Amino acid sequence: FGWIQILNPEVFGALITVNNRDEWIYHVAYNPTNGESPEDFSEERCCEILKKAIGVSNLDIVIFSILPWAAAEQTATRFQDNRVFLIGDAAHLMPPAGGFGSNTGIQDAHNLAWKLAAVIHKQAHSRLLQTYHDERHYAAEVTTEYASNLLFSVIKKGVSTLNNMDHLAVTVGYKYNSTAIIEENSDTTHRMDQLELNGKPGTRAPHMWLRYQGKRISTLDLIGENFVLFTGKDNSPWRTAARNVSSHLGVPINVYGIGSQGDCVEYEDSWEALYDVTSQGAVLIRPDGFVAWRTKEGASNPHLLLKQVMASILW
């Protein structure tokens, strides 16, 4: 149990657990435009509100504290100014509805960390850092607006200004657009009314179960430290290309062949169908788990193609 919305003829609010035994927080709204203020909520009144909310009139209640807070929606105009970067609550404030705040802050840091590391280790040009704002600002704006609309729908007891975006798509289903992504020529727009992860550049690499080195793992377990190149099981040209490009640029690239045989053996799903490639195709994934580039077919010169892709992303 974590959170419950309580609505009856006398009270409206949200009960949230602290320890799931005997400590709880109860949130109730007040309206300053109607002359209400935090001073109206004495300990006696709060006890009565709680009894009406819980439905037990003889409950022995001990109140630790009574504190006001105001929901805020705010996104910084810029997330970077030269050597200064904003992440988390310094970059964006949002209501707690939906639990997006921590997720968004962690996603900021994840996006920025590998880029900073690449620039500091001279594996990338400093212009790569500009893509932090380009990618995260839009995602943060979408999330803060959605969280505010979600809170509004709760306070107004069902009257909502929510658009048709999907909750999970807002959390992990958005798409990046920047020079750190090699876009595909496509007439289809990215959907936010449902979670749609299919290997498209700019989106998160989708999960699927694999058997790797005798263990059952997710594709996501292979991502996080270096660039990753997913290919089909017969991947010697791509493996050679990645080794040569990695040596030339000084940027590690991990290569995994996926299929019925090879490095990573599929359990149920087909990686070709999930990532929308052929057996000769390849998908390049950044250290933050986002697809940087994809070729659905093979290449006549994998080394030259991969070198151009990596150089375009990093330099």
Side-chain angles (χ1 to χ4, degrees), residues 78-109:
R78 290 182 297 157
F79 284 3
Q80 178 194 4
D81 186 0
N82 293 316
R83 292 168 59 88
V84 177
F85 296 87
L86 301 182
I87 69 172
D89 289 349
H92 40 71
L93 297 174
M94 64 189 72
F100 296 108
S102 294
N103 280 329
T104 310
I106 292 169
Q107 290 162 1
D108 292 343

Short mmCIF file of all heavy atoms in Angstrom, two decimals, residues 78-109:
data_model
loop_
_atom_site.label_atom_id
_atom_site.label_comp_id
_atom_site.label_asym_id
_atom_site.label_seq_id
_atom_site.Cartn_x
_atom_site.Cartn_y
_atom_site.Cartn_z
N ARG A 78 16.83 27.50 -19.85
CA ARG A 78 17.99 26.79 -20.38
C ARG A 78 18.53 25.84 -19.32
O ARG A 78 18.53 26.17 -18.14
CB ARG A 78 19.09 27.77 -20.79
CG ARG A 78 18.77 28.61 -22.02
CD ARG A 78 19.96 29.50 -22.36
NE ARG A 78 20.23 30.46 -21.29
CZ ARG A 78 21.41 31.05 -21.08
NH1 ARG A 78 22.44 30.74 -21.86
NH2 ARG A 78 21.57 31.91 -20.11
N PHE A 79 18.98 24.69 -19.76
CA PHE A 79 19.57 23.72 -18.84
C PHE A 79 21.10 23.80 -18.82
O PHE A 79 21.75 23.09 -18.07
CB PHE A 79 19.16 22.29 -19.22
CG PHE A 79 17.74 21.95 -18.85
CD1 PHE A 79 16.89 22.89 -18.28
CD2 PHE A 79 17.24 20.68 -19.07
CE1 PHE A 79 15.58 22.57 -17.95
CE2 PHE A 79 15.95 20.34 -18.73
CZ PHE A 79 15.11 21.30 -18.17
N GLN A 80 21.68 24.66 -19.69
CA GLN A 80 23.12 24.82 -19.73
C GLN A 80 23.48 26.27 -19.97
O GLN A 80 22.86 26.96 -20.78
CB GLN A 80 23.75 23.96 -20.84
CG GLN A 80 25.27 24.14 -20.94
CD GLN A 80 25.86 23.57 -22.22
OE1 GLN A 80 25.13 23.10 -23.09
NE2 GLN A 80 27.17 23.63 -22.36
N ASP A 81 24.52 26.74 -19.26
CA ASP A 81 25.13 28.04 -19.53
C ASP A 81 26.63 27.85 -19.38
O ASP A 81 27.17 27.81 -18.26
CB ASP A 81 24.63 29.10 -18.54
CG ASP A 81 25.12 30.49 -18.89
OD1 ASP A 81 25.84 30.63 -19.90
OD2 ASP A 81 24.79 31.44 -18.16
N ASN A 82 27.31 27.66 -20.51
CA ASN A 82 28.74 27.37 -20.53
C ASN A 82 29.04 26.13 -19.69
O ASN A 82 28.59 25.05 -20.01
CB ASN A 82 29.54 28.59 -20.06
CG ASN A 82 29.43 29.74 -21.04
OD1 ASN A 82 29.52 29.55 -22.25
ND2 ASN A 82 29.22 30.96 -20.53
N ARG A 83 29.75 26.29 -18.55
CA ARG A 83 30.15 25.14 -17.74
C ARG A 83 29.14 24.82 -16.64
O ARG A 83 29.41 23.96 -15.79
CB ARG A 83 31.53 25.40 -17.13
CG ARG A 83 32.66 25.43 -18.16
CD ARG A 83 33.95 25.96 -17.56
NE ARG A 83 34.41 25.16 -16.43
CZ ARG A 83 35.19 24.08 -16.55
NH1 ARG A 83 35.58 23.68 -17.76
NH2 ARG A 83 35.59 23.43 -15.50
N VAL A 84 28.01 25.48 -16.65
CA VAL A 84 26.98 25.25 -15.63
C VAL A 84 25.83 24.45 -16.25
O VAL A 84 25.30 24.83 -17.30
CB VAL A 84 26.44 26.58 -15.06
CG1 VAL A 84 25.32 26.32 -14.06
CG2 VAL A 84 27.57 27.37 -14.41
N PHE A 85 25.45 23.37 -15.59
CA PHE A 85 24.34 22.53 -16.05
C PHE A 85 23.32 22.40 -14.93
O PHE A 85 23.68 22.24 -13.76
CB PHE A 85 24.85 21.14 -16.46
CG PHE A 85 25.78 21.14 -17.62
CD1 PHE A 85 27.15 21.33 -17.43
CD2 PHE A 85 25.30 20.97 -18.92
CE1 PHE A 85 28.01 21.34 -18.51
CE2 PHE A 85 26.16 20.98 -20.00
CZ PHE A 85 27.52 21.16 -19.79
N LEU A 86 22.06 22.46 -15.30
CA LEU A 86 20.97 22.27 -14.33
C LEU A 86 20.37 20.89 -14.52
O LEU A 86 20.06 20.49 -15.64
CB LEU A 86 19.89 23.33 -14.53
CG LEU A 86 20.30 24.80 -14.41
CD1 LEU A 86 19.08 25.69 -14.60
CD2 LEU A 86 20.97 25.08 -13.07
N ILE A 87 20.19 20.18 -13.41
CA ILE A 87 19.50 18.89 -13.45
C ILE A 87 18.55 18.81 -12.26
O ILE A 87 18.67 19.56 -11.30
CB ILE A 87 20.48 17.69 -13.43
CG1 ILE A 87 21.17 17.58 -12.07
CG2 ILE A 87 21.50 17.79 -14.53
CD1 ILE A 87 21.99 16.31 -11.92
N GLY A 88 17.61 17.88 -12.33
CA GLY A 88 16.69 17.65 -11.21
C GLY A 88 15.86 18.86 -10.87
O GLY A 88 15.43 19.62 -11.75
N ASP A 89 15.65 19.09 -9.56
CA ASP A 89 14.78 20.19 -9.12
C ASP A 89 15.36 21.56 -9.47
O ASP A 89 14.64 22.56 -9.46
CB ASP A 89 14.55 20.11 -7.61
CG ASP A 89 13.66 18.95 -7.23
OD1 ASP A 89 13.05 18.35 -8.13
OD2 ASP A 89 13.56 18.63 -6.02
N ALA A 90 16.66 21.64 -9.74
CA ALA A 90 17.24 22.91 -10.18
C ALA A 90 16.79 23.26 -11.59
O ALA A 90 16.77 24.43 -11.97
CB ALA A 90 18.76 22.84 -10.12
N ALA A 91 16.42 22.24 -12.36
CA ALA A 91 16.02 22.45 -13.76
C ALA A 91 14.51 22.50 -13.93
O ALA A 91 14.00 23.17 -14.83
CB ALA A 91 16.59 21.34 -14.64
N HIS A 92 13.78 21.80 -13.07
CA HIS A 92 12.33 21.72 -13.23
C HIS A 92 11.65 21.36 -11.92
O HIS A 92 12.16 20.57 -11.13
CB HIS A 92 11.96 20.67 -14.30
CG HIS A 92 12.82 19.44 -14.24
ND1 HIS A 92 12.73 18.50 -13.23
CD2 HIS A 92 13.82 19.01 -15.06
CE1 HIS A 92 13.60 17.54 -13.43
NE2 HIS A 92 14.29 17.83 -14.53
N LEU A 93 10.53 21.99 -11.67
CA LEU A 93 9.69 21.68 -10.51
C LEU A 93 8.36 21.19 -11.03
O LEU A 93 7.81 21.73 -11.99
CB LEU A 93 9.49 22.91 -9.63
CG LEU A 93 10.73 23.50 -8.98
CD1 LEU A 93 10.37 24.80 -8.25
CD2 LEU A 93 11.36 22.52 -8.01
N MET A 94 7.81 20.18 -10.36
CA MET A 94 6.52 19.65 -10.79
C MET A 94 5.75 19.14 -9.59
O MET A 94 6.35 18.78 -8.56
CB MET A 94 6.71 18.54 -11.82
CG MET A 94 7.43 17.31 -11.33
SD MET A 94 7.84 16.17 -12.69
CE MET A 94 9.15 17.08 -13.53
N PRO A 95 4.43 19.10 -9.66
CA PRO A 95 3.64 18.53 -8.56
C PRO A 95 3.99 17.06 -8.36
O PRO A 95 4.48 16.40 -9.29
CB PRO A 95 2.19 18.70 -9.05
CG PRO A 95 2.24 19.76 -10.08
CD PRO A 95 3.58 19.62 -10.74
N PRO A 96 3.72 16.53 -7.17
CA PRO A 96 4.07 15.13 -6.91
C PRO A 96 3.14 14.13 -7.59
O PRO A 96 3.43 12.94 -7.58
CB PRO A 96 3.95 15.03 -5.38
CG PRO A 96 2.95 16.08 -5.01
CD PRO A 96 3.19 17.21 -5.97
N ALA A 97 2.04 14.59 -8.16
CA ALA A 97 1.09 13.68 -8.80
C ALA A 97 1.79 12.87 -9.90
O ALA A 97 2.41 13.44 -10.79
CB ALA A 97 -0.08 14.46 -9.41
N GLY A 98 1.69 11.56 -9.80
CA GLY A 98 2.31 10.70 -10.79
C GLY A 98 3.69 10.22 -10.43
O GLY A 98 4.21 9.28 -11.03
N GLY A 99 4.35 10.87 -9.45
CA GLY A 99 5.68 10.45 -9.04
C GLY A 99 6.74 10.65 -10.10
O GLY A 99 7.66 9.84 -10.24
N PHE A 100 6.65 11.75 -10.86
CA PHE A 100 7.59 11.97 -11.98
C PHE A 100 8.88 12.67 -11.57
O PHE A 100 9.86 12.65 -12.30
CB PHE A 100 6.92 12.81 -13.07
CG PHE A 100 5.75 12.14 -13.73
CD1 PHE A 100 4.46 12.57 -13.49
CD2 PHE A 100 5.93 11.08 -14.59
CE1 PHE A 100 3.37 11.96 -14.10
CE2 PHE A 100 4.86 10.46 -15.21
CZ PHE A 100 3.58 10.90 -14.96
N GLY A 101 8.89 13.35 -10.42
CA GLY A 101 10.01 14.22 -10.07
C GLY A 101 11.34 13.51 -10.00
O GLY A 101 12.32 13.91 -10.64
N SER A 102 11.42 12.44 -9.21
CA SER A 102 12.69 11.72 -9.06
C SER A 102 13.11 11.08 -10.37
O SER A 102 14.29 11.12 -10.75
CB SER A 102 12.55 10.65 -7.97
OG SER A 102 12.36 11.24 -6.71
N ASN A 103 12.15 10.46 -11.08
CA ASN A 103 12.47 9.85 -12.37
C ASN A 103 13.10 10.86 -13.32
O ASN A 103 14.11 10.58 -13.98
CB ASN A 103 11.20 9.27 -13.01
CG ASN A 103 10.82 7.92 -12.42
OD1 ASN A 103 11.67 7.17 -12.00
ND2 ASN A 103 9.54 7.64 -12.39
N THR A 104 12.50 12.03 -13.40
CA THR A 104 12.97 13.04 -14.35
C THR A 104 14.36 13.52 -13.98
O THR A 104 15.21 13.72 -14.84
CB THR A 104 11.98 14.21 -14.41
OG1 THR A 104 10.66 13.72 -14.60
CG2 THR A 104 12.32 15.16 -15.54
N GLY A 105 14.61 13.71 -12.68
CA GLY A 105 15.93 14.14 -12.24
C GLY A 105 17.01 13.11 -12.53
O GLY A 105 18.11 13.43 -12.98
N ILE A 106 16.69 11.83 -12.29
CA ILE A 106 17.64 10.76 -12.58
C ILE A 106 17.92 10.67 -14.07
O ILE A 106 19.06 10.47 -14.52
CB ILE A 106 17.11 9.42 -12.03
CG1 ILE A 106 17.10 9.45 -10.50
CG2 ILE A 106 17.96 8.25 -12.53
CD1 ILE A 106 16.36 8.29 -9.87
N GLN A 107 16.87 10.86 -14.87
CA GLN A 107 17.04 10.82 -16.33
C GLN A 107 17.91 11.97 -16.81
O GLN A 107 18.71 11.80 -17.74
CB GLN A 107 15.66 10.85 -16.99
CG GLN A 107 14.87 9.56 -16.78
CD GLN A 107 13.38 9.74 -17.03
OE1 GLN A 107 12.92 10.82 -17.39
NE2 GLN A 107 12.62 8.68 -16.84
N ASP A 108 17.78 13.14 -16.18
CA ASP A 108 18.68 14.26 -16.50
C ASP A 108 20.14 13.85 -16.29
O ASP A 108 20.99 14.03 -17.17
CB ASP A 108 18.39 15.46 -15.59
CG ASP A 108 17.06 16.12 -15.85
OD1 ASP A 108 16.47 15.89 -16.92
OD2 ASP A 108 16.59 16.87 -14.96
N ALA A 109 20.41 13.32 -15.10
CA ALA A 109 21.79 12.97 -14.74
C ALA A 109 22.34 11.88 -15.66
O ALA A 109 23.51 11.92 -16.06
CB ALA A 109 21.85 12.52 -13.28
#
